Amino acid sequence: RHLQELPDYTSPPLEVALEATPEAYRSDEVVQEARDLDAAGNCTIDGNCCHIPFPVDADKFEEPSRIGVLFYNGALVDPRGYSPIAALLNERYGMPVVMPIFTAD
């Protein structure tokens, strides 16, 4: 029996995941810039550098949600791969969602 060698790269997100991702975070260049900032320890320079936010539309919901969701990606999954479920939680239930972008995700 041969052991499978794990890849050292992140698979690209599916088109449906990119469509659900906030527009500012759809490009590979933006995600790579966030990874580079994380690697350099500079995620705090701008409060929105190293994560993908799904803020709640205040006009759509009467009261702000008291619950938020934080998706930690892993297993070589691009953080944008979680965008469909993040968008669903955000748009249907009014939950703010954040997905960190890590150097080695």
Side-chain angles (χ1 to χ4, degrees), residues 54-57 61 63-71 86 88-98:
F54 287 78
V56 177
D57 181 355
F61 297 94
E63 292 185 29
S65 176
R66 294 170 43 124
I67 299 172
V69 178
L70 178 61
F71 275 102
L88 176 77
L89 292 170
N90 180 264
E91 295 165 8
R92 186 177 294 175
Y93 301 106
M95 293 180 180
V97 180
V98 176

Side-chain angles (χ1 to χ4, degrees), residues 5-44:
E5 198 169 311
L6 294 175
D8 61 352
Y9 59 88
T10 301
S11 299
L14 297 174
E15 189 63 36
V16 68
L18 286 176
E19 291 170 5
T21 302
E23 192 169 342
Y25 297 88
R26 290 182 184 166
S27 79
D28 291 338
E29 291 79 19
V30 170
V31 173
Q32 186 57 51
E33 182 179 338
R35 287 180 178 137
D36 293 343
L37 285 169
D38 179 50
N42 291 328
C43 287
T44 58

Side-chain angles (χ1 to χ4, degrees), residues 68-82:
V69 178
L70 178 61
F71 275 102
Y72 277 97
N73 56 306
L76 301 174
V77 176
D78 187 294
R80 297 169 292 179
Y82 295 95

